[in-house]
Amino acid sequence: MSIQNESSYNNDSQPSENLSTDVNLSTDVEKKAKKTELPQPKNENSESGLKIAIAQENFMVGDVLGNARKMVELATTARDKGANLIIFPELALLGYPPEDLLLRPSLANRVKLAFEILYSVKDIVMLVGYPHIDQHGTFNSVAIVHNGQKKGFYHKQHLPNYGVFDERRYFNKGQNQVLFDYQGLTIGLLICEDLWQESPAKTLKQKGADIIVCINASPFEQHKQEERKALLAKRASENNLPIVYVNSVGGQDDLVFDGGSMVVDATGKIAHEAPRFLSQMLYASIRLDDKQIKVSEQKKMPIALGATAETYQALVVGLRDYVKHSGFNSVLIGLSGGLDSALSLSIAVDALGADKVYAVALPSQHTNPITVQDAQAQAQRLNVSFTVCPIHSAIDGIYHTLEPIFSHTPADITEINIESRVRGTMLMALSNKFGQLVLSAGNKTELAVGDATLYGDMAGGFDVLKDVYKTQVYELANYRNRLEETPVIPEHLINRPETNTPLHILDDHEKLDKILSLYIDEDFGFDAIIEAGFDKDIVKRVLTMVDRNEYKRRQAPIGTKISQKAFAKDRRYPLVNHWSLETPKI
């Protein structure tokens, strides 16, 4: 069975005789969707209702056949535990976000082979997120698979094209709603962004849906779970429909998917919820009882995570999965004795285990011995292998080599940066020799204003704190220390915060981070930030530094995204431009 034949849009050539939707590419949204019943599992009747397995899992981007085999295992387990429907996340068959893998000519054939693997599963309906490719284009879709057949499919209608999302680059827009009958219920399908719009859920209700299933690949941002819950409550209550919401989990490049899959009843009350950041098979039952849709209730809900706790967990998962997926067995971090590297070390140990983390101190003739002692004490506390590698002679060698050229010039930032770049070179040499991924520890505040040295402290394969402002570094360090009786981060590093910000722009980090957050995360302009109560000259200096240092950030290693506007796809500015901060006058 070819994908092209399955995806024909002619009304007289539908994917199967049991297709429960009108998939004609008509733009007439009033066209009534077709519905037919799927065959019922043996020894089941409509009164038994839906026994749903929600597969909150991590599917590897690009491993199409491996993901299909994983789905087979999960579906078989769910069926054996009594489920008659299993739901997988958005684009789970290919992994999310697949980016330009969607443009590979061989993708369609791999998807076809993957469905042949899925067709081996019997006696359970599978809702599979996948890329649908045919003569009409490429679609972000969900397939209804049952007993060796694709019974129907739905194409995502609202394609996000903001922040980290580039779906209009890859996908064609779906046109019609899809519903299917199963276990006495009419099930409507949506995909991620569709639920954030009002009309798709409303139209499904009008077409007779009893419940909505929405598959998602929604990446973590701080406070995002509260937004999801509010959205589900609103959509469910305004349409008087239960909603089943499944989300991906795990790290992919700089993104983390935090799970938190849910089932809400028709009033918007959460009936089932999966834990955050963990793979979990969540089971729920939905049935029609005396013309009312009844949703089973979970006996014990997962512990809610506070803002700092969820951020820390996201950083742990992001680092863990990047290292694992990249094929590294261990990581190396230059431990300076400062707070940033101390927090990064703690996150690395929590992500990978102490036996896979190596720390090295690289003191120069200018290094305070106390910082090396602090680094060693923390490494011992966390049971991490620690080495001291002095760099005096390397620095002297570079100075000596450059002396004939530099002899008639005054000392400046160049000499300071040489020390940082020697450290970067040493770390990369150790990485090459022993196969460890180098972790850098620059925070978002430093990267914003350019208080970082290219090929120096920016050297590495992953920046643990890339999207973490300095004020958040203190919060996260305090949080991690509260988890154990004996602190894992030297307390004096937290209790004796730095009084000067990078390059001495302001007298404290809180003010600087507020200006940066307004400019970077909230897109405030120059005048708006001044109106928020900040000094004009300071604002101009800070914003100028942010704009001027885009070239550094473009060369920085990736790091876990936790905010709405990370220094990555969220925020894309030209390296060279003549945009003025103040509105020009004619």
Side-chain angles (χ1 to χ4, degrees), residues 6-7 9 15 19-25 29 33 90-91 115 126-134 138-145 150-159 167 171-180 187-197 199-204 207 212-216:
E6 288 179 348
S7 59
Y9 285 93
L19 178 64
S20 55
T21 172
D22 182 350
V23 290
N24 188 358
L25 265 184
V29 296
E90 178 181 10
L91 284 181
F115 271 98
M126 296 184 289
L127 298 182
V128 179
Y130 76 108
H132 183 110
I133 304 168
D134 61 26
T138 300
F139 300 86
N140 184 342
S141 306
V142 53
I144 307 165
V145 178
K150 187 190 292 183
K151 300 291 186 177
F153 45 79
Y154 167 71
H155 299 327
K156 187 174 184 178
Q157 297 185 46
H158 293 273
L159 304 176
E167 294 202 13
F171 296 116
N172 297 86
K173 180 180 178 181
Q175 300 293 334
N176 297 88
Q177 277 65 39
V178 171
L179 304 95
F180 68 99
I187 303 167
L189 300 176
L190 296 178
I191 301 177
C192 206
E193 187 76 11
D194 294 334
L195 193 66
W196 291 83
Q197 311 302 318
S199 60
K202 183 178 180 180
T203 303
L204 286 176
K207 291 182 179 296
I212 291 174
V213 171
C214 184
I215 66 171
N216 302 265

Side-chain angles (χ1 to χ4, degrees), residues 90-91 96-100 102-103 140 156 158-172 255 568-570 572:
E90 178 181 10
L91 284 181
Y96 194 94
E99 299 186 297
D100 280 11
L102 287 160
L103 306 179
N140 184 342
K156 187 174 184 178
H158 293 273
L159 304 176
N161 220 59
Y162 54 85
V164 300
F165 304 107
D166 287 315
E167 294 202 13
R168 294 178 195 172
R169 170 179 170 88
Y170 304 109
F171 296 116
N172 297 86
L255 299 182
K569 294 179 183 177
D570 296 315
R572 313 177 199 182

